[in-house]
Amino acid sequence: MSEITKAVIPVAGLGTRFLPATKATPKEMLPVVDKPAIQYVVEEAVGAGMHDILMVTGRNKHALENHFDRNCELELILETKGDTERLAAVTASTALADIHYTRQRDPRGLGHAVLCAASHVGDEPFAVLLGDDLIDARDPLLAQMQQVRRRHGGSVVALMRVDPKRSHLYGCAAVERDHGSDIVRVTDLVEKPAPGTAPSDLAVIGRYLLDPAVFEVLRRTPPGRGGEIQLTDALRTLAAEGHPVHGVVFSGRRYDTGDRAEYLRAVVQIAAGRSDLGPGFVDWLRSFVDRVPAPSSV
Ligand code: UTP
């Protein structure tokens, strides 16, 4: 079975949960310690052997393209100063991968954003990584998903157990063979189920390995939840039509950086784990937590 070398990263969403920060800056460019969130996602794809990356962008997304392009003026200044460390940090994002861009003219949903990648992807399996979904590099997920695809073929989604009270915020999966195993067969999917109706506590998170058959299904998928063309609905059709869809239940560290509280957790956890910043930061954090008043008295 051919290995997946193409990754599609949709970054055309409006980021309304993070306004006003995202009024003129894409949410994927918000820094997580000293790198924009999107760079972690691209590094994850490259680490899994996906060197051909297509970003599906929209309005206000020029900063993303600039980040992965050269900044000759800045490079020259750092070179002249002999600041090799910062020069390496600046050029790292440029050399990472072969990055392409296409535009989703209207944000008509994640499924529509993926469909915008059809001509670039062609007739081969590909990965989708959501640009605001950060998987901690210490907990690799794509490699495990690739193993499942090698064994079962078809498409593979990443799942995470969520508190049933929060199921209505996610796409949720009905699965078979969920006896403590972290590999399941997906039999049905529901996008943002009404409270109390989720088929399980397994929610879809932002990593997918997809068969190109998904494009034909997306073309005939009508707008669903929120009037948007949902990738979840297309995967539901694929599963119903007998196409194998498997899930990997992920229990590692994952942050939705488009959500303010999770963004804060991402910054703190990643900074705490860094060898350069971690020790001093964790000492400060401990004394801060000891001093901080309980939320009710703030
Ligand atoms: P979200 O559900 O987070 O939507 O999209 P959003 O619009 O980006 O953010 P909020 O909810 O308003 O704060 C999930 C992913 O799908 C992409 C987003 O960029 C994000 O990576 N997306 C969503 C698109 O590329 N196009 C769309 O039309 C919708």
Side-chain angles (χ1 to χ4, degrees), residues 10-17 27-28 104 107-110 113 130-132:
V11 289
L14 297 176
T16 55
R17 286 170 295 157
K27 64 177 166 178
E28 297 82 3
Q104 183 189 21
R108 292 172 54 202
L110 176 59
L130 299 195
D132 58 352

Side-chain angles (χ1 to χ4, degrees), residues 105-138:
R105 287 192 195 96
D106 296 306
R108 292 172 54 202
L110 176 59
H112 181 254
V114 170
L115 189 52
C116 293
S119 60
H120 181 87
V121 168
D123 192 25
E124 55 182 291
F126 64 107
V128 172
L129 291 80
L130 299 195
D132 58 352
D133 215 332
L134 210 154
I135 302 292
D136 198 304
R138 294 166 286 185

Side-chain angles (χ1 to χ4, degrees), residues 9 144 281:
I9 308 185
Q144 202 189 347
F281 178 61

